C-alpha cells in the first residue's frame, strides 16, 4: 500500500457547516467510485434486455438455467468475486479516497426473487450473516487502504422507486405504500447502525437511493417522515455517523427538504446528495444545489454521476472540484464497456442468455453453466480490461483531452477573463451585443452573449459556439460512452485580452515515473487570425499564431515535469481572434 495516499482519511467524517471534516477537523472532499451491480446486480451492466433488468429477474433466469443448487453456488461465487481486495487496492492507488456500496435489502434478508408470503411479519425476517460478512470484509480492506465507505440502501424493502434499479417486484414503490415494508427499512438501518457504529472508516449512511420518480410524486410527502424514522432508529444506537439524504426524482429534487433545516433540523450531521447524468456540465445546472448549501449550511455531495464519455467526465468532475463538492463516479466495473475503469470481457455465447430472456431457446444446463462460470472468471480485476483513460479524465491527469469549453468553474477573474472590445465602443459585459463595427467583423469578433445561444455556460461572458453548423443547443446525452459527433463539438472563441484557465493534476505515481508532460491545442484563426500564449502556473511556456482556414493542431509544447499536485494551464489571446477546440496533455 502507498502510505503517502489518502492521509485525509482519518477518523469519523462529519458535516461542519458547508464542508466535510475528518477526525482531526481537516476539510475533506470525497472522490470515489460506486460498486454498481455487486450487491444489487443491474441488468444493463450485464448487457441484458428489459426481461433481465433487475436482480430478481436475473436470479430467476439463472435458476431456470442451472437449477437451484448450482444457482446458489453461482451467486456465492459472484458476490465473492465481483469486488475483492485487488479492486480496493487499485482504487486507492489511483488516488480515490472513498467507495459507495449499493445494497439490496433482499441481499441482506434472504428474501427470494419471487417474494415472500403476505402473512410473514418483520420478526420472520433474518439477516444473513454470510452476506453481512461480505460487507464487513470490504470495510476491513477499505480501512487498510484508507478509503471511506458509504453504505447505500439502493434497493429498499418493497422498492423506493418502483423501477428496475431498486429490484421492484411490481414496478410500484411499496416502501411508501406498505407500512410493513417501511418498518422493515427502519429496522434494517437500525441493525446496520448497531453493527457499524464503531467503524470510523464508514463515512455515512445513504438512507435511500433515488426515491420516487416524478410519476410517483403523489407519495413525495412520505419521504421526509420516513427519513426521520430511520434517523431516530439509527440515533438510538449510533450517535457518530453522518446521515446522507437524497432528494426525490432520481435524487435531483430537493424540495422535500424545505422543512428539514429550520428551527427543528432533521439531524445535526447531514450530507445532502444529488445525482447528475446526461446534461450540461456547467454551474447553471447545479446552481440550485449550491444555493441550498449556502441556505441550509450543509455540505453537498454528487453521489452518482457518470455513464457518459470521457470528454464529459473531464468537464463534469472538474465542475464538482471547483465548487468544492464531494463526488462519486458511477460505476467502477461493468460488462463490455469503454466508459468505466473496469470492463468485464463478455463471455462466449453470452447472446444465448440474452435470447433466452427474450423468449428464445433455452440453452442446456451444461452450456449455460459454462457461460456463467466464464463470467465469474472474467469479472475478477486481473481478468478485466482496465481503462486508465477513464480515471485520468475524472481526475484530470495526463494523458487526457480537455475540451476547450471546459475551462475552470470558479468564475470570472479566477477561471477566465475577457478583455475589452476594441472598435465597438462598449464594454465586454454589455448585453445584448448585436451591433458590430466593420473592424469587429474583420477581426472575427462576435457578440459577447453568443454562448447563451448554445444553452451551455450561459452565465459566463465567454464565446461558445458549435465548430460546424447543424445544431442549435448543446447536447451531452452520451450514455453509452460514445464520442461526440463532429456536429456536436463546441469550441471556444478568444478575442484579444481573453484568457481561460484549465486545471490538471500530477499524481504521486506519475511524478515517480519522471516523464515529461506536453500540451497540444487544436485551434483555428478567426477573421485575420490570432496569437495564443500558453502559461503554466503563471509562467509563459509557448506562443504561436492561429491562422484562419482549417482546424489544426499546434504543439506539442513541453511543460516539463510538474510537481505532484494541482496545476493551472492558461490560454491567452494576445492579438486578433481565434477559436480553440481542445487541449491534449500527453506524456513524453
Amino acid at each position: 500500500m502507498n502510505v503517502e495516499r489518502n492521509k485525509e482519511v482519518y477518523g469519523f467524517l462529519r458535516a461542519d457547516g458547508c464542508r466535510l471534516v475528518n477526525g482531526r477537523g481537516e476539510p475533506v472532499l470525497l472522490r470515489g467510485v460506486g460498486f454498481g451491480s455487486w450487491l444489487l446486480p443491474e441488468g444493463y451492466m450485464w448487457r441484458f434486455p428489459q426481461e433481465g433488468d433487475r436482480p430478481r429477474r436475473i436470479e430467476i433466469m439463472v435458476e431456470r438455467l442451472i437449477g437451484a443448487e448450482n444457482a446458489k453456488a453461482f451467486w456465492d461465487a459472484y458476490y465473492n468475486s465481483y469486488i475483492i481486495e485487488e479492486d480496493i487496492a487499485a482504487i486507492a492507488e489511483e488516488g480515490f479516497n472513498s467507495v459507495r456500496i449499493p445494497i439490496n435489502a433482499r441481499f441482506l434478508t434472504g428474501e427470494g426473487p419471487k417474494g415472500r408470503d403476505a402473512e410473514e411479519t418483520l420478526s420472520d425476517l433474518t439477516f444473513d450473516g454470510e452476506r453481512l460478512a461480505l460487507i464487513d470484509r470490504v470495510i476491513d480492506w477499505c480501512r487498510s487502504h484508507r478509503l471511506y465507505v458509504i453504505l447505500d440502501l439502493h434497493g429498499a424493502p418493497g422498492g423506493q422507486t418502483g423501477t428496475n434499479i431498486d429490484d421492484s417486484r411490481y414496478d410500484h414503490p411499496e416502501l411508501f405504500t406498505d407500512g410493513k415494508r417501511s418498518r422493515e427499512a427502519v429496522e434494517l438501518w437500525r441493525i446496520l447502525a448497531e453493527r457499524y457504529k464503531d467503524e470510523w472508516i464508514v463515512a455515512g449512511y445513504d438512507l435511500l437511493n433515488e426515491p420516487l420518480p416524478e410519476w410517483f410524486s403523489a407519495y413525495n410527502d412520505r419521504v421526509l417522515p420516513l427519513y426521520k424514522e430511520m434517523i431516530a432508529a439509527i440515533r438510538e444506537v449510533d450517535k457518530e455517523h453522518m446521515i446522507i439524504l437524497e432528494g426525490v426524482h432520481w435524487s435531483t429534487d430537493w424540495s422535500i427538504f424545505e422543512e428539514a433545516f429550520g428551527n427543528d433540523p432533521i439531524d445535526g450531521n447531514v450530507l445532502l446528495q444529488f445525482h447528475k447524468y446526461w446534461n450540461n456540465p456547467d454551474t447553471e445546472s447545479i446552481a440550485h444545489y449550491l444555493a441550498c448549501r449556502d441556505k441550509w449550511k450543509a455540505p453537498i455531495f454528487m453521489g452518482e454521476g457518470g455513464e457518459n464519455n470521457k470528454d464529459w467526465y473531464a468537464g463534469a468532475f472538474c465542475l464538482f472540484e471547483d465548487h468544492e463538492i464531494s463526488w462519486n463516479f458511477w460505476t467502477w466495473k461493468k460488462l463490455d464497456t469503454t466508459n468505466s475503469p473496469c470492463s468485464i470481457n463478455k463471455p462466449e455465447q453470452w447472446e444465448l442468455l440474452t435470447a433466452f430472456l427474450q423468449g428464445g431457446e433455452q440453452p442446456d444446463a451444461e452450456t449455460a453453466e459454462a457461460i456463467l462460470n466464464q463470467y465469474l472468471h472474467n469479472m475478477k480485476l486481473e481478468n478485466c480490461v482496465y481503462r486508465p483513460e477513464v480515471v485520468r479524465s475524472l481526475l484530470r491527469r495526463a494523458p487526457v483531452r480537455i475540451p476547450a469549453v471546459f475551462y475552470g468553474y470558479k468564475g470570472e477573474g479566477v477561471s477566465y477573463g475577457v478583455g475589452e472590445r476594441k472598435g465597438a465602443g462598449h464594454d465586454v459585459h454589455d448585453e445584448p451585443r448585436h451591433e458590430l463595427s466593420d473592424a469587429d467583423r474583420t477581426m472575427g469578433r462576435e457578440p459577447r452573449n453568443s454562448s447563451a445561444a448554445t444553452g451551455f455556460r450561459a452565465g459566463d461572458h465567454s464565446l461558445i459556439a458549435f465548430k460546424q453548423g447543424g445544431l442549435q443547443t448543446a447536447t451531452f446525452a452520451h450514455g453509452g460512452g460514445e464520442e461526440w459527433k463532429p456536429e456536436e463539438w463546441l469550441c471556444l472563441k478568444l478575442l484579444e485580452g481573453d484568457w481561460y484557465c484549465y486545471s490538471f493534476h500530477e499524481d504521486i505515481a506519475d511524478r515517480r515515473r519522471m516523464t515529461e508532460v506536453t500540451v497540444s491545442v487544436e485551434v483555428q484563426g478567426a477573421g485575420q487570425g490570432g496569437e495564443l500564449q500558453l502559461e503554466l502556473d503563471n509562467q509563459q511556456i509557448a506562443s504561436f499564431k492561429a491562422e484562419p482556414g482549417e482546424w489544426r493542431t499546434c504543439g506539442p509544447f513541453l511543460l516539463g515535469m510538474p510537481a505532484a499536485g494541482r496545476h493551472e494551464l492558461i490560454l491567452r489571446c494576445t492579438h486578433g481572434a481565434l477559436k480553440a477546440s481542445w487541449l491534449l496533455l500527453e506524456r513524453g
Side-chain angles (χ1 to χ4, degrees):
M1 185 183 71
N2 187 344
V3 296
E4 295 181 68
R5 291 197 183 279
N6 296 348
K7 293 181 179 179
E8 74 275 17
V9 179
Y10 180 89
F12 283 99
L13 198 64
R14 60 183 174 86
D16 179 31
C18 295
R19 64 180 189 168
L20 296 177
V21 297
N22 63 16
R24 291 189 289 254
E26 301 163 339
V28 173
L29 198 71
L30 294 176
R31 303 174 179 93
V33 295
F35 289 155
S37 209
W38 176 36
L39 305 184
L40 192 156
E42 295 203 35
Y44 86 91
M45 298 189 198
W46 293 49
R47 297 286 186 178
F48 277 171
Q50 182 178 355
E51 293 83 356
D53 67 351
R54 63 198 72 185
R56 65 179 71 241
R57 293 178 180 176
I58 300 173
E59 290 169 28
I60 291 171
M61 178 204 73
V62 172
E63 185 169 333
R64 287 181 62 191
L65 288 173
I66 61 176
E69 184 177 347
N70 287 335
K72 182 183 183 305
F74 169 81
W75 288 112
D76 287 344
Y78 178 93
Y79 294 132
N80 275 282
S81 301
Y82 203 90
I83 297 296
I84 57 178
E85 186 171 11
E86 284 78 1
D87 291 277
I88 303 301
I91 290 165
E93 186 62 26
E94 284 286 20
F96 297 104
N97 63 10
S98 54
V99 298
R100 179 170 176 253
I101 301 179
I103 300 169
N104 190 359
R106 285 200 309 108
F107 167 82
L108 294 177
T109 64
E111 178 185 324
K114 297 179 182 179
R116 62 175 188 274
D117 295 334
E119 62 270 14
E120 287 187 82
T121 65
L122 182 62
S123 60
D124 296 317
L125 296 177
T126 58
F127 288 79
D128 190 315
E130 292 183 2
R131 297 285 177 84
L132 284 168
L134 288 169
I135 299 175
D136 295 346
R137 184 175 70 172
V138 168
I139 288 173
D140 288 342
W141 292 335
C142 286
R143 191 188 313 105
S144 297
H145 294 277
R146 305 183 77 89
L147 294 173
Y148 278 121
V149 178
I150 293 169
L151 299 180
D152 154 36
L153 186 52
H154 216 75
Q160 73 278 5
T161 68
T163 67
N164 62 300
I165 66 168
D166 67 3
D167 194 27
S168 176
R169 185 180 180 188
Y170 300 114
D171 286 329
H172 188 77
E174 296 175 64
L175 177 69
F176 297 104
T177 61
D178 183 342
K180 183 188 299 184
R181 290 304 200 174
S182 62
R183 290 191 295 274
E184 289 170 11
V186 171
E187 177 66 7
L188 185 150
W189 273 119
R190 190 197 65 78
I191 292 173
L192 290 179
E194 174 71 33
R195 189 177 187 90
Y196 298 118
K197 62 185 178 182
D198 297 322
E199 285 286 2
W200 65 267
I201 199 67
V202 173
Y205 305 137
D206 186 351
L207 300 190
L208 289 175
N209 177 71
E210 298 184 341
L212 296 178
E214 63 179 359
W215 55 89
F216 288 125
S217 61
Y219 306 123
N220 281 0
D221 60 354
R222 303 181 186 185
V223 178
L224 193 61
L226 181 57
Y227 278 157
K228 289 180 178 179
E229 288 185 52
M230 290 174 166
I231 293 170
I234 290 169
R235 292 300 181 226
E236 287 178 6
V237 297
D238 183 348
K239 308 296 185 185
E240 292 289 344
H241 279 101
M242 188 165 58
I243 303 296
I244 305 172
L245 301 179
E246 302 190 28
V248 293
H249 191 50
W250 314 119
S251 194
T252 63
D253 181 354
W254 284 2
S255 60
I256 62 170
F257 299 130
E258 289 296 336
E259 305 302 321
F261 295 93
N263 295 327
D264 184 23
I266 192 168
D267 193 76
N269 189 15
V270 170
L271 176 64
L272 290 176
Q273 180 175 168
F274 69 95
H275 294 177
K276 186 172 177 63
Y277 289 103
W278 312 308
N279 55 33
N280 288 6
D282 59 10
T283 300
E284 290 82 354
S285 69
I286 61 169
H288 177 66
Y289 308 125
L290 296 172
C292 289
R293 176 172 67 180
D294 294 339
K295 177 182 177 182
W296 296 329
K297 306 301 180 189
I300 64 177
F301 175 43
M302 198 298 295
E304 251 191 56
E307 301 298 2
N308 213 304
N309 63 33
K310 295 179 287 294
D311 290 311
W312 189 86
Y313 297 163
F317 289 85
C318 177
L319 169 72
F320 309 138
E321 291 276 340
D322 280 2
H323 285 292
E324 298 181 342
I325 299 171
S326 291
W327 54 263
N328 190 276
F329 173 74
W330 188 263
T331 181
W332 171 245
K333 180 187 291 186
K334 57 182 186 279
L335 183 73
D336 189 27
T337 183
T338 61
N339 64 350
S340 284
C342 301
S343 176
I344 303 170
N345 288 305
K346 186 184 291 186
E348 295 178 9
Q349 298 184 293
W350 191 254
E351 66 278 1
L352 296 180
L353 305 189
T354 301
F356 174 60
L357 283 167
Q358 295 178 306
E361 182 180 353
Q362 178 171 339
D364 63 74
E366 183 178 355
T367 299
E369 189 168 11
I371 296 170
L372 292 170
N373 284 339
Q374 188 178 355
Y375 184 43
L376 292 173
H377 174 269
N378 292 357
M379 70 177 56
K380 293 181 179 179
L381 182 65
E382 63 184 12
N383 300 321
C384 288
V385 175
Y386 193 67
R387 301 195 182 281
E389 65 274 14
V390 173
V391 174
R392 294 195 298 261
S393 294
L394 296 173
L395 300 175
R396 284 252 183 128
R397 297 204 320 243
V400 63
R401 182 172 68 183
I402 305 172
V405 295
F406 294 159
Y407 55 90
Y409 295 91
K410 294 186 176 183
E412 189 170 3
V414 179
S415 291
Y416 74 98
V418 292
E420 289 196 6
R421 303 271 308 282
K422 296 179 180 179
H426 46 240
D427 183 80
V428 296
H429 301 108
D430 292 340
E431 293 187 17
R433 295 183 176 276
H434 301 298
E435 297 299 325
L436 299 179
S437 69
D438 290 339
D440 282 328
R441 295 188 180 92
T442 300
M443 294 303 295
R445 296 189 173 105
E446 296 178 5
R448 267 289 171 194
N449 63 340
S450 65
S451 62
T454 66
F456 179 62
R457 306 197 76 158
D460 290 354
H461 296 101
S462 53
L463 297 171
I464 293 175
F466 288 98
K467 287 179 66 175
Q468 62 184 53
L471 296 181
Q472 297 297 319
T473 305
T475 177
F476 296 100
H478 301 82
E482 58 271 18
E483 297 288 326
W484 293 334
K485 299 175 182 177
E487 64 269 21
E488 292 175 330
W489 267 90
L490 296 168
C491 66
L492 180 66
K493 189 166 187 179
L494 292 82
L495 307 182
E496 186 173 323
D498 293 356
W499 60 269
Y500 293 87
C501 181
Y502 302 84
S503 63
F504 70 94
H505 295 264
E506 188 72 353
D507 183 71
I508 294 171
D510 291 334
R511 186 73 180 92
R512 285 173 175 165
R513 297 186 186 105
M514 300 298 288
T515 54
E516 294 179 322
V517 179
T518 64
V519 63
S520 301
V521 188
E522 186 180 64
V523 296
Q524 179 191 62
Q528 295 179 342
E531 294 184 8
L532 190 67
Q533 179 173 295
L534 303 183
E535 303 166 14
L536 176 64
D537 299 332
N538 297 317
Q539 298 293 318
Q540 181 178 340
I541 58 169
S543 181
F544 60 90
K545 292 183 178 181
E547 302 291 349
E550 297 293 324
W551 286 91
R552 66 187 184 95
T553 301
C554 295
F557 303 103
L558 183 63
L559 302 183
M561 291 187 290
R566 176 187 170 104
H567 297 275
E568 294 184 342
L569 185 64
I570 288 178
L571 304 187
R572 187 185 303 274
C573 182
T574 57
H575 179 72
L578 57 93
K579 299 176 183 178
S581 175
W582 46 254
L583 298 78
L584 179 63
L585 294 167
E586 297 180 288
R587 294 197 173 275

